[in-house]
Amino acid sequence: MDARETPEKSPSQLIDERIAELGDWRGALLARLRALVLAADPAIVEEWKWRGVPTWTHDGIVCTGETYKAVVKMTFFRGAALDDPAGLFNASLDGNARRAIDFAEGAAIDEPALVALVRAAVALNTAGRRK
């Protein structure tokens, strides 16, 4: 490698950079949601898709962490197939596959319910791979 070249950054490094560059409540919230996702499934893989969307996968996409001006959005790619007893899903409710949770500034997070939802999404993905 030539001294002018830099090694490609890992998805985890890119997510770290996104959190730092936001520098406001959205960065702090994205960091908190990321920690919950990673705690829910230590085997989950962090990816950087679509030119800048933090994505967590395990036998397929589990969820994404998108940041907008007014919300941090967690989109579960197979959310329509998941039970949501705590009623976390509050966005993208019309679709056939995806469901999302929009977190506004100061929103409370039901951490046990979110961890359970991530685990259910992983279980759905891994069950599909075993068939």
Side-chain angles (χ1 to χ4, degrees):
M1 179 185 307
D2 169 310
R4 294 171 300 194
E5 295 177 30
T6 57
E8 189 174 317
K9 294 179 182 176
S10 73
S12 294
Q13 290 171 317
L14 292 169
I15 295 169
D16 289 341
E17 287 180 3
R18 168 63 50 81
I19 290 167
E21 76 186 15
L22 286 165
D24 60 11
W25 67 270
R26 296 170 302 161
L29 182 55
L30 182 59
R32 187 170 168 204
L33 296 174
R34 176 194 199 188
L36 292 169
V37 169
L38 296 174
D41 179 18
I44 213 154
V45 175
E46 291 191 307
E47 296 186 17
W48 188 253
K49 293 189 174 285
W50 309 292
R51 296 184 185 174
V53 178
T55 305
W56 294 279
T57 65
H58 185 145
D59 289 333
I61 295 174
V62 173
C63 61
T64 62
E66 304 146 70
T67 53
Y68 299 96
K69 186 176 181 178
V71 298
V72 174
K73 179 185 288 283
M74 284 186 81
T75 301
F76 287 76
F77 271 51
R78 298 179 69 193
L82 297 174
D83 288 330
D84 179 21
L88 297 179
F89 291 131
N90 61 10
S92 305
L93 301 176
D94 306 0
N96 293 329
R98 296 184 184 133
R99 294 285 183 273
I101 307 167
D102 284 352
F103 295 96
E105 184 174 7
I109 300 172
D110 184 340
E111 292 185 5
L114 185 58
V115 167
L117 195 60
V118 170
R119 288 180 178 154
V122 168
L124 183 62
N125 281 1
T126 57
R129 296 286 179 175
R130 287 192 292 251
K131 290 182 180 180

